[in-house]
Amino acid sequence: MDEFMAARMQMAVSLGFHIVFACIGMVMPWFMFVAEWKWLRTKNPVYLDLAKAWAKGVAIFFAVGAVSGTVLSFELGMLWPTFMEHAGPIFGMPFSWEGTAFFVEAIALGLFLYGWKRLNKWVHLYTGMVVGISGVLSGIFVVSANAWMNAPSGFDWVNGQAINIDPVKAMFNKAWFSQAHHMTIAAFSATGFAVAGVHAVLYMKNKLEIHAKAITIALAFASVAAILQPLSGDLAAKNVAELQPAKLAAFESHFETQEKAPLIIGGIPDVENREVKYAIKLPGFLSFLAHGDFNAEVKGLEEFPEEEWPPIPITHYSFQLMVGIGMFLMLIAALFFAGTYKWKHWFEQKWWLRMLAIATPLGFIAVEAGWIVTEVGRQPWIIYGIMKTKDSLTPMPGIQYTFYTITAVYAILTFVVIWLLSRQIKLLQSKYLQNG
Amino acid sequence: MAEANLIILVICLLLYVILGGADFGGGILELLSRGKASKIVSRAIAPVWEANHVWLILVVVILFVGFPSVYSTILTALHIPVLLVLIGIIMRGSAFTFRQYDIEEEPTKAIYSAIFRFSSVFTTFFLGVTVGGLILGEISMNYQLGFYAVYIHPWLNWFSVSMGLFVVLLFAFLAGIFTVSEIEDKDYIIYFTRMTKRLLIALVVMGSIVFATAKLAGHSLLKDFINSSISVTCIVLATLALPAFWYFLNKNKGNWLRLTAGFQTILLVTGWFAIQFPVLVKTNSGHDITIQAAKAPHQTQFYLLIALVVGVLIIFPAMGYLYKTFKFSEEPES
């Protein structure tokens, strides 16, 4: 592996790791908030136990999310100093707001986790809500900064220098809105299905009320998100079609510019022969997806010099995976709503619980795939159309070793977190079974 | 404008040194103490530790938004010690949380504790080494000079290593103050008072070693300190505060103790900034990076300042409320 690849892989591993924790950290406080609120309303102690159990999960995920986020703020400069030197003053504003939001989140979480006895119960509930709100806000700010890399604005690039910098325009770049809502909804969907799935597995073993309640709360959030996601995805796709046509073409392995462009589902892209084998093609649907018109022309990869093509197979597969999972999760969401209103007995059925169990990791796989689509799809650019990724690499040799070290640390951490959570769950389970 | 942002950066750095330092030091103190004493330390820092660490993120953000070339130069030349700090931060933060939230069971708890304590020392040491590398001014921007000259030499030298040890002692000392003023049990107050005193003595000794190694390395640290009126004032005030500090420590006056210790730390950092000013990164080629050269354009500085001021207005009351709520520690609920 060469230096450049090692640096990119390190970035991918660090971001891929952080994203999972960040999503859970911004969404689970909402579940915990709802559980506590339900407890205050109904006085059913099961809700209190649920809120406390979830709070432990939040604490673990938040802490690991916080340290991995701190690492990222350094890694950007350690791996891509040239990029940060130019981009920092332009796209830094959302990061400074994110700092505040994250700070508020950490303070509110400290109050929430340790304040069960010390705070008035409504104040306590309120701190939980503050954690949720500031978490979502900090997520939006970070995504807005990333969006700038896809749709750079708020400066003029003259002779390799940025002049006339306008940080506000950079923050509210053309991609920020479509990326921010898509990501926020994805976080709710992924975390909701993951939490519901874990409780579904437990419910299959022991039909405890706490798990049933947990599934309902988590799925309520997840289902709304899963139903909204295709709409959000459509907006996002149109945005990409407008701003980064090469990226859209790579999603779909769409080589030739054509009208009534077909939507390509599945298949194996053959970059050399510029075709996709074994794919289902729906004529006109890509045109519709990209431009809202079945007859519209969609730019193919041929319009761009080959050295500016993003890696096509990985982008293509990731995109297909993301959309496929999104569809499946939408199906579960539809069943959930149908069941809630009409066929309540479903929810006791094995097939339903199994379906939820299968969905446990899917949302996060889709989130990872989505980020691969965004980030790998932007290559070879680190600032789209302005600066190439390879031109911003640190001069320090031996990045491979940094990459191996960081990867090993994160691998161990992932393993420990999973192990830790399973121990927590077992403890909760045995406590409930003893009490009957 | 850039100056205002720089001042906020220094304040964040100070708060990180004092609050985050007390927190890092908690791990070091745990390593030095036995049995129940180490539990007392961790209980004192549990509710506030996450918030303490956000100061570092603010420092980094202000650097890359407001002074981007400082950020990229430091992270290129000091890549290796910074990486070690980061690994330490990951291990430490995770181990602390895992210990807090894993079910009560040995020997896992003991493993988390060991990782937490060891990585507290490790992280703090390399933080100090990194700062030492910055002060010494051996940073080279001529990347053709070879791996050793550019990426090793600036931080692997006696001065940086003694700075590392100095910061370890400083943080342990700050944690000692924090713990002493936080606990109520008489026996442990005596225990930690004694430990804090020893740490203070060690700190003063280490401080003179730092100056000595600076001289050995050909750096005029002591002379610069004496030549700058601000630095001299800082040193004099810090020394004058020592007897007062000793008195408060003996009388166990919690709040006064924190104030004087915080005050001394502020003086220490301010003294360093005063001799550095207006240079932000010293290099060995004579092309030092000054505020003037590093500062981002006016528009950026302006919006950064707005974000920081609004942030401060939100954060400080919230932080105050957090500290007020947990002023007296209690067993966290499981």
Side-chain angles (χ1 to χ4, degrees), chain A residues 307-421:
Chain A
E307 68 270 12
E308 286 180 16
W309 288 8
I312 290 158
I314 180 167
T315 319
H316 178 84
Y317 295 132
S318 303
F319 182 70
Q320 305 285 328
L321 187 65
M322 175 183 77
V323 175
I325 290 174
M327 293 295 159
F328 179 68
L329 296 181
M330 198 172 71
L331 171 75
I332 300 183
L335 288 173
F336 174 71
F337 285 126
T340 305
Y341 290 108
K342 209 145 184 195
W343 297 285
K344 272 226 145 97
H345 61 278
W346 276 3
F347 293 165
E348 292 293 319
Q349 302 284 320
K350 258 221 162 99
W351 64 265
W352 168 249
L353 294 167
R354 272 201 194 127
M355 205 159 161
L356 291 182
I358 292 168
T360 310
L362 291 184
F364 282 107
I365 296 174
V367 166
E368 298 287 1
W371 275 103
I372 292 173
V373 167
T374 322
E375 296 297 276
V376 177
R378 194 188 53 243
Q379 300 308 322
W381 302 101
I382 193 163
I383 308 173
Y384 191 72
I386 304 275
M387 184 189 284
K388 291 217 168 131
T389 314
K390 65 174 167 43
D391 295 333
S392 90
L393 179 68
T394 177
M396 194 181 103
I399 294 298
Q400 293 90 341
Y401 301 99
T402 322
F403 164 59
Y404 299 140
T405 317
I406 289 280
T407 307
V409 170
Y410 282 156
I412 295 168
L413 217 53
T414 307
F415 173 77
V416 177
V417 167
I418 292 171
W419 181 68
L420 204 77
L421 287 179

Side-chain angles (χ1 to χ4, degrees), chain A residues 238-261:
Chain A
K238 288 191 168 52
N239 192 265
V240 171
E242 186 199 330
L243 301 171
Q244 295 175 291
K247 186 190 268 186
L248 185 91
F251 289 176
E252 279 291 303
S253 300
H254 178 65
F255 291 98
E256 286 162 34
T257 301
Q258 61 188 113
E259 289 171 3
K260 286 189 193 153

Side-chain angles (χ1 to χ4, degrees), chain A residues 52-71:
Chain A
K52 287 195 173 177
W54 276 347
K56 279 187 188 172
V58 169
I60 293 167
F61 279 98
F62 184 84
V64 179
V67 288
S68 56
T70 310
V71 171

Side-chain angles (χ1 to χ4, degrees), chain A residues 20-299:
Chain A
V20 173
F21 290 84
C23 284
I24 298 175
M26 73 192 234
V27 173
M28 254 186 100
W30 289 102
F31 300 173
M32 155 188 118
F33 167 77
V34 170
E36 191 185 4
W37 179 65
K38 281 269 201 184
W39 171 62
L40 291 172
R41 289 277 309 271
T42 63
K43 301 286 172 229
N44 182 349
V46 165
Y47 283 119
L48 179 63
D49 284 336
L50 189 58
K52 287 195 173 177
W54 276 347
K56 279 187 188 172
V58 169
I60 293 167
F61 279 98
F62 184 84
V64 179
V67 288
S68 56
T70 310
V71 171
L72 272 173
S73 67
F74 283 90
E75 269 180 332
L76 281 171
M78 293 165 76
L79 299 171
W80 317 108
T82 316
F83 161 66
M84 286 304 281
E85 202 167 330
H86 288 99
I90 314 172
F91 86 150
M93 197 166 83
F95 281 111
S96 32
W97 289 107
E98 194 262 351
T100 302
F102 179 61
F103 220 131
V104 171
E105 192 182 355
I107 293 171
L109 189 68
L111 286 164
F112 187 92
L113 292 176
Y114 294 93
W116 287 98
K117 278 186 192 154
R118 281 167 181 259
L119 299 174
N120 166 294
K121 57 190 177 188
W122 291 102
V123 174
H124 188 262
L125 180 71
Y126 172 74
T127 61
M129 193 179 77
V130 173
V131 178
I133 292 173
S134 47
V136 169
L137 279 178
S138 63
I140 290 174
F141 287 131
V142 168
V143 170
S144 151
N146 173 270
W148 178 83
M149 296 163 73
N150 289 317
S153 56
F155 67 99
D156 294 316
W157 192 249
V158 181
N159 298 328
Q161 294 293 333
I163 56 167
N164 300 330
I165 291 174
D166 181 349
V168 180
K169 222 172 154 185
M171 180 165 163
F172 299 106
N173 56 71
K174 279 188 177 167
W176 89 270
F177 182 70
S178 84
Q179 272 193 237
H181 66 70
H182 198 57
M183 182 62 222
T184 309
I185 293 171
F188 274 92
S189 171
T191 311
F193 282 111
V195 171
V198 169
H199 284 282
V201 171
L202 296 168
Y203 191 72
M204 278 193 269
K205 280 189 200 147
N206 305 100
K207 305 228 176 248
L208 297 172
E209 189 191 358
I210 190 168
H211 298 312
K213 298 263 192 272
I215 293 172
T216 311
I217 294 175
L219 271 191
F221 278 99
S223 299
V224 173
I227 300 271
L228 290 175
Q229 193 61 312
L231 297 173
S232 154
D234 182 54
L235 277 180
K238 288 191 168 52
N239 192 265
V240 171
E242 186 199 330
L243 301 171
Q244 295 175 291
K247 186 190 268 186
L248 185 91
F251 289 176
E252 279 291 303
S253 300
H254 178 65
F255 291 98
E256 286 162 34
T257 301
Q258 61 188 113
E259 289 171 3
K260 286 189 193 153
L263 187 70
I264 299 173
I265 298 172
I268 299 168
D270 178 350
V271 179
E272 240 166 68
N273 296 317
R274 304 195 170 191
E275 59 177 16
V276 186
K277 285 178 188 154
Y278 321 113
I280 304 167
K281 293 182 182 171
L282 303 177
F285 274 85
L286 182 62
S287 296
F288 182 72
L289 189 78
H291 302 291
D293 172 4
F294 283 99
N295 294 316
E297 185 188 87
V298 180
K299 272 191 186 171

